[in-house]
């Protein structure tokens, strides 16, 4: 699979938020990067949403809360609503396209994970062996690396693959400028 493929078809629809996936292996810095991008994009005036994939069975509801009691009683879905926030807990996995659609009022949606989806991606490269993600995933537009640019792109076939833009892991300003041009 080529590193640079046509992105998800909704990416070019006027009025839809720009969706950018941040993908990489465990402990590559995905969450740190997403948080840094959110802070900077919010400071620039953008409305930012985040969708995070968790391969584990996370739990946001805890014993002693009313919503925990509702779920324990058998409710398949629960919505908690206050004047400042809403949380929805559903006992089902929701696909990424449906989640993106539910966040359609935002300017940008940063997606942490979901490697196999076809939205534009920033790939995190912490170790040389992580480089294989650049060529094995679809819609790779950028690489965020802990290595030098030369080390990061060393084994890529430059004749058959369009090279993605490369950022150092601390180049948050450059990444947000790059994202802003796509919003």
């Amino acid at each position: 699979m080529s590193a640079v493929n046509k992105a998800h078809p909704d990416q070019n629809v006027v009025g839809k938020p720009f969706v950018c996936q941040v993908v990489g292996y465990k402990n590559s810095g995905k969450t740190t990067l997403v948080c840094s991008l959110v802070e900077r994009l919010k400071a620039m005036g953008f409305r930012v949403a985040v969708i995070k994939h968790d391969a584990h069975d996370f739990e946001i509801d805890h014993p002693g809360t009313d919503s925990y009691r509702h779920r324990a009683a058998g409710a398949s879905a629960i919505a908690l609503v206050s004047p400042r926030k809403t949380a929805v807990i559903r006992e089902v996995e929701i696909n990424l396209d449906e989640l993106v659609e539910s966040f359609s009022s935002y300017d940008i949606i940063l997606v942490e994970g979901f490697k196999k989806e076809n939205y534009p991606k920033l790939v995190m490269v912490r170790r040389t062996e992580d480089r294989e993600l650049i060529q094995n995933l679809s819609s790779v537009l950028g690489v965020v690396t802990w290595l030098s640019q030369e080390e990061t792109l060393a084994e890529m076939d430059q004749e058959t693959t369009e090279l993605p833009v490369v950022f150092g892991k601390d180049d948050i300003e450059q990444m947000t400028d790059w994202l802003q041009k796509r919003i």
Side-chain angles (χ1 to χ4, degrees), residues 79-144:
L80 304 169
V81 182
S82 76
R84 292 191 39 219
K85 58 188 156 204
T86 299
V88 177
I89 304 168
R90 293 166 50 181
E91 297 284 338
V92 61
E93 183 177 13
I94 301 171
N95 72 50
L96 183 57
D97 286 340
E98 188 178 337
L99 290 168
V100 166
E101 185 62 34
S102 71
F103 286 174
S104 64
S105 64
Y106 294 87
D107 300 314
I108 184 167
I109 301 170
L110 297 175
V111 176
E112 184 177 330
F114 293 93
K115 285 184 193 86
K116 300 300 180 189
E117 294 292 335
N118 202 31
Y119 290 96
K121 291 177 184 63
L122 288 173
V123 175
M124 300 291 299
V125 173
R126 184 169 186 148
R127 301 175 320 262
T128 55
E129 52 269 23
D130 297 349
R131 297 180 302 195
E132 55 94 14
L133 286 174
I134 300 168
Q135 290 185 288
N136 292 338
L137 297 177
S138 66
S139 305
V140 175
L141 298 185
V143 177
V144 181

